[in-house]
Amino acid sequence: MDSCSNIEFKPKIGMKFDSLDESWKFWVEYGGKIGFGVRKNYFNKNKNTGFITSYKYVCCKEGVRKKDKRDSSTLNHRLETRTNCKVRMGVTFVDSKYKVNEFIEEHNHPLQLQETVHMLSSQRKITEVQAYEIDLAEDVGLKQKSKHAGGIDGLGYTMLEAKNYIRSKRQRSMVYGEVGSLMRYFQQQLSKNSSFYHVNQMDVEEQITNVFWADARMIIDYEYFGDVVSLDIMYCTNRAYRPLAIFSGFNHHRGAVIFGAALLYDEIASSFKWLFETFLEAHKQKKPLTIFTDQNQAMAKALQEVMPEVFQGLAHGI
């Protein structure tokens, strides 16, 4: 990259990059330093060779969401996170380099504080968390279907299908194999460390519905690094596509750490309320200063009831 130093981190017309990857990394770093999320918008390419001749990078709040055609029947709308922000950087291929040919700097929305900017979707480094989720799912006998880090767009099926499936269930149940796998996993962890914490919630028929656990490492990490927490939901290919909730954050080296996990029956307010109450119980009622969640209204309602003083940020689209 030409025309850039550690001090001059702001894009400038005429700035050059050796590749698109380099220009994208620069835009991501710039967003992190300023305090906004970034994404790729569109590109142009040569029709004959397929070579990309230009690319447009924007603020994550660029544009507005298209009107939901199901508005008349939709009960729970996703929160609007875009503000039609015009901030962007364009690069075009000139003389074997990608040159900045457009830059708009002014945002129309508040920027993130540096203390929380690492939780932006484009800034988060959660490969360790993802690895933990995969290992954990295998340990308890579940297969990962798709990872969902603070948003619903990354699922392998639509939320409408998931809601219809949950709605069609008439009776809460957890098959013996799932219960047995979880109990064996908990027993193994307890044998390694007596500080391992786990709680089961039962329904009126004494069937296990929701399960929460946190090992000694998670409890210690939360004590030191629990001021900012992200709650992510992934889905597993068990019989009911049960949500697996992961509480995570970052240590002082910006390394990903886990604070707790839960296998839930559903995603209604009462289940999330139990989850937040149990999370606090596991961590001796210590509350985070900020918690990043998705646009789930039931989750937001439960969080407001259990921890009204905690700042809630949206992990998707920020």
Side-chain angles (χ1 to χ4, degrees), residues 1 21 38 47 56 58 70-71 78 82 111 118 123 154 159 194 212 235 242 244-245 262 273 291 293 304:
M1 179 180 68
D21 284 342
V38 300
K47 294 182 179 180
K56 191 79 69 178
V58 298
R70 299 176 287 110
D71 270 355
R78 291 175 55 190
R82 299 191 184 184
L111 300 175
H118 59 282
Q123 298 295 325
M159 287 303 293
S194 60
F212 175 90
Y235 292 81
R242 297 182 187 276
L244 179 63
K273 183 179 180 181
I291 183 166
T293 64
Q304 180 62 29

Side-chain angles (χ1 to χ4, degrees), residues 6 67 102 112 213 220 228 252 265:
N6 291 332
K67 181 177 177 59
E102 181 185 19
Q112 292 289 314
W213 63 96
I220 293 173
V228 179
H252 56 300
Y265 166 73

Side-chain angles (χ1 to χ4, degrees), residues 118-257:
H118 59 282
M119 299 298 283
L120 291 166
S121 297
S122 55
Q123 298 295 325
R124 293 169 65 185
K125 308 294 184 184
I126 57 171
T127 54
E128 293 180 39
V129 174
Q130 293 170 338
Y132 173 82
E133 290 173 343
I134 294 171
D135 293 341
L136 181 61
E138 292 178 350
D139 285 343
V140 299
L142 301 172
K143 293 183 179 180
Q144 181 182 9
K145 180 178 178 65
S146 62
K147 174 67 176 66
H148 157 43
I152 65 174
D153 296 329
L155 298 179
Y157 50 87
T158 67
M159 287 303 293
L160 180 61
E161 292 171 335
K163 290 178 180 178
N164 287 340
Y165 181 86
I166 293 174
R167 191 180 300 114
S168 68
K169 291 186 70 68
R170 295 291 182 265
Q171 186 177 22
R172 296 190 173 195
S173 64
M174 181 178 281
V175 299
Y176 175 80
E178 290 173 335
V179 175
S181 295
L182 283 171
M183 294 304 105
R184 283 195 299 272
Y185 174 76
F186 292 158
Q187 290 172 359
Q188 291 171 358
Q189 297 304 309
L190 280 169
S191 66
K192 296 177 183 177
N193 194 317
S194 60
S195 297
F196 182 83
Y197 180 93
H198 70 94
V199 176
N200 305 327
Q201 185 184 39
M202 315 290 285
D203 64 10
V204 293
E205 298 179 352
E206 296 189 353
Q207 297 294 313
I208 293 178
T209 56
N210 299 319
V211 184
F212 175 90
W213 63 96
D215 62 27
R217 181 74 264 172
M218 297 175 188
I219 294 174
I220 293 173
D221 282 339
Y222 181 77
E223 182 178 352
Y224 287 101
F225 312 115
D227 287 344
V228 179
V229 174
S230 176
L231 174 57
D232 293 322
I233 306 293
M234 61 178 285
Y235 292 81
C236 303
T237 54
N238 51 9
R239 179 175 297 182
Y241 289 91
R242 297 182 187 276
L244 179 63
I246 302 291
F247 291 92
S248 64
F250 293 87
N251 60 25
H252 56 300
H253 296 299
R254 292 292 174 88
V257 289

